[in-house]
Amino acid sequence: MHENRNVERRTVLKVAGATLATVGLGATATACGGGSGASGDGTVELRFSWWGADERAKRVNESIALFEKKFPKIKVKTDFQDYQSFWEKFQTQAAGGNPPDVFQNSLTFLRKYDKRGVVLDLKSQVDAGNLSLDNLRSGLDKLGEVDGKLVGVPVGSNVMSLVIDEKVFQAAGVTPKQGWTWDEYFDALQKIRDTQKVAGDTGYFGIMYLYDLYLRQNGKAFFTDDGLGFTEAELTEWWQDGYNRVKAGIVTDPKIVEQTKPKSALAAAHGASEFTWDNFTVRYATEGDSTYGLAPIPTTDGKQTGQWLGGLMLSASARTEHPEEAAQFIDFMVNDPEVGKVMGYDRGTLTSTPQFEAYQPTDAPNKAIAQYEEDVAAAGVLGEPTPHPAGADTVEAAFLRISGDMSQGKTKVSDAVKQFFSEAETALAG
């Protein structure tokens, strides 16, 4: 999963804006199912859709060729777009009762489309032996569950991480260590600013998933099963602190961050560290001129980071005419070792043990990603995924947009908090 985090998060905003206007799905849809039926010789056709770039398309198509060789009576018709176009098209298909048989998915959208009756509960297919979860790596076996149903199977994993410019950190005499605190992190940013004349961070306070980690460190979470898990006062403190650090020069000026896009402000040397999903970090080696590494997440108590494994998933349509074949396809894409060799870490670190062991990365960025996830797991800090209620995608978009306006001085912190809570409550009530 090599998408640019900033691009992906930014495009969510446009997709989410249309979400609330989407009509009710599930029982109200009357169109035909997702499958195309079986031909006279018993051949079944599945429709499979995903988002990504041309490189992912080539890898997926090569993997599908392996699947069709093993299952000659199942043909797979493919469709892919960029992130924004995918969700716009999927919403239209789902509203019309004709989503693809199998589709790429993420935690943000699981509950939303389960609530609307769009996704298939795959537990019966597991029981029937058409889909195996036995080989999923530790921390991933529950990722696709919603209210006791299995509505997604992870195909690529990632974890929130801290990417650092190693040359800048070394020159400043800063060495991140497992269990370091937020105070120590902010002291490091100040030291970097004072000695290297560059901001220490590119804008941590606008990342919803990082704020979730901070809340989890303090016994809370960004979302509960049906709402927000924090107060206006708590968000005010988080955003005010971030705004103050921008003004103090230890966090990159948000206007510079915007002007630098789509290139990362870290890679452009406008900051020395950046929080992002670990599998996005391959971009820095190609965009920047320094060396970049993955560092531990700062903590509140010196122990718990709040981290959890997320990642891309595969889901099946509740309207598919071929649930058995859809499950067999998902199983193959998740567990087959040869597919692991073909896909590599394009969608994140491989989630099943057979694929993880079959693919041995040779480049430094992907080696570092695999090692980081192993180190985080070994540290014993991984927890269960945070619940994502229906409307979480709209909430995330609002958090990014409103925090950006606040950090640029377009709105006061207090007004920004009130605006966010208003938009979030509307989205979560829908």
Side-chain angles (χ1 to χ4, degrees), residues 115-136:
K115 185 178 179 180
R116 297 179 177 184
V118 175
V119 286
L120 178 69
D121 182 356
L122 291 163
K123 283 198 170 182
S124 62
Q125 295 301 320
V126 173
D127 294 339
N130 297 319
L131 172 61
S132 174
L133 307 181
D134 294 342
N135 295 317
L136 289 179

Side-chain angles (χ1 to χ4, degrees), residues 28-291:
T28 61
T30 57
C32 65
S36 57
S39 64
D41 64 357
T43 299
V44 165
E45 181 180 274
L46 297 176
R47 292 162 50 216
F48 174 44
S49 298
W50 74 93
W51 69 83
D54 290 341
E55 178 60 28
R56 178 174 298 172
K58 288 191 291 186
R59 293 174 185 268
V60 169
N61 286 330
E62 187 175 344
S63 299
I64 289 173
L66 294 173
F67 173 78
E68 291 181 338
K69 184 177 181 180
K70 183 175 181 179
F71 296 90
K73 291 294 186 179
I74 307 176
K75 302 300 179 183
V76 182
K77 182 179 180 181
T78 64
D79 182 27
F80 85 100
Q81 297 91 26
D82 61 31
Y83 183 82
Q84 179 181 343
S85 299
F86 171 88
W87 285 112
E88 288 174 344
K89 183 173 183 177
F90 184 83
Q91 287 183 137
T92 300
Q93 291 172 323
N98 192 34
D101 297 279
V102 180
F103 55 95
Q104 193 168 278
N105 207 347
S106 71
L107 186 63
T108 305
F109 295 91
L110 289 186
R111 194 176 298 270
K112 170 181 177 177
Y113 285 111
D114 174 62
K115 185 178 179 180
R116 297 179 177 184
V118 175
V119 286
L120 178 69
D121 182 356
L122 291 163
K123 283 198 170 182
S124 62
Q125 295 301 320
V126 173
D127 294 339
N130 297 319
L131 172 61
S132 174
L133 307 181
D134 294 342
N135 295 317
L136 289 179
R137 290 166 40 227
S138 177
L140 291 165
D141 54 328
K142 302 292 185 182
L143 188 62
E145 291 191 0
V146 170
D147 299 331
K149 292 177 285 186
L150 179 65
V151 295
V153 181
V155 72
S157 71
N158 53 19
V159 64
M160 183 58 62
S161 65
L162 173 63
V163 186
I164 64 171
D165 185 320
E166 293 180 324
K167 292 181 179 179
V168 173
F169 269 66
Q170 184 176 11
V174 176
T175 304
K177 296 180 180 179
Q178 188 72 41
W180 68 333
T181 65
W182 285 101
D183 286 342
E184 290 173 326
Y185 174 67
F186 290 129
D187 286 344
L189 301 191
Q190 186 65 60
K191 188 174 182 181
I192 289 169
R193 174 65 181 176
D194 293 342
T195 63
Q196 306 305 306
K197 309 305 179 185
V198 64
D201 179 89
T202 64
Y204 67 92
F205 49 84
I207 304 171
M208 185 192 83
Y209 287 100
L210 180 65
Y211 187 45
D212 175 55
L213 296 195
Y214 178 78
L215 290 167
R216 287 164 65 91
Q217 291 175 15
N218 290 278
K220 299 191 174 187
F222 194 98
F223 291 115
T224 63
D225 286 332
D226 56 4
L228 299 176
F230 56 96
T231 65
E232 290 189 21
E234 288 167 327
L235 180 57
T236 298
E237 182 180 5
W238 178 256
W239 275 354
Q240 186 65 59
D241 181 75
Y243 181 78
N244 292 344
R245 295 184 195 280
V246 169
K247 293 305 175 185
I250 70 169
V251 173
T252 310
D253 183 338
K255 294 179 181 178
I256 294 177
V257 174
E258 287 297 321
Q259 292 166 2
T260 305
K261 291 178 179 179
K263 190 174 184 178
S264 159
L266 172 61
H270 295 312
S273 66
E274 185 165 287
F275 291 94
T276 187
W277 297 105
D278 64 345
N279 64 305
F280 291 157
T281 59
V282 293
R283 66 177 297 202
Y284 300 105
T286 58
E287 289 184 355
D289 297 322
S290 189
T291 57

Side-chain angles (χ1 to χ4, degrees), residues 373-382:
E373 291 198 13
E374 289 185 341
D375 290 345
V376 170
V381 297
L382 286 174

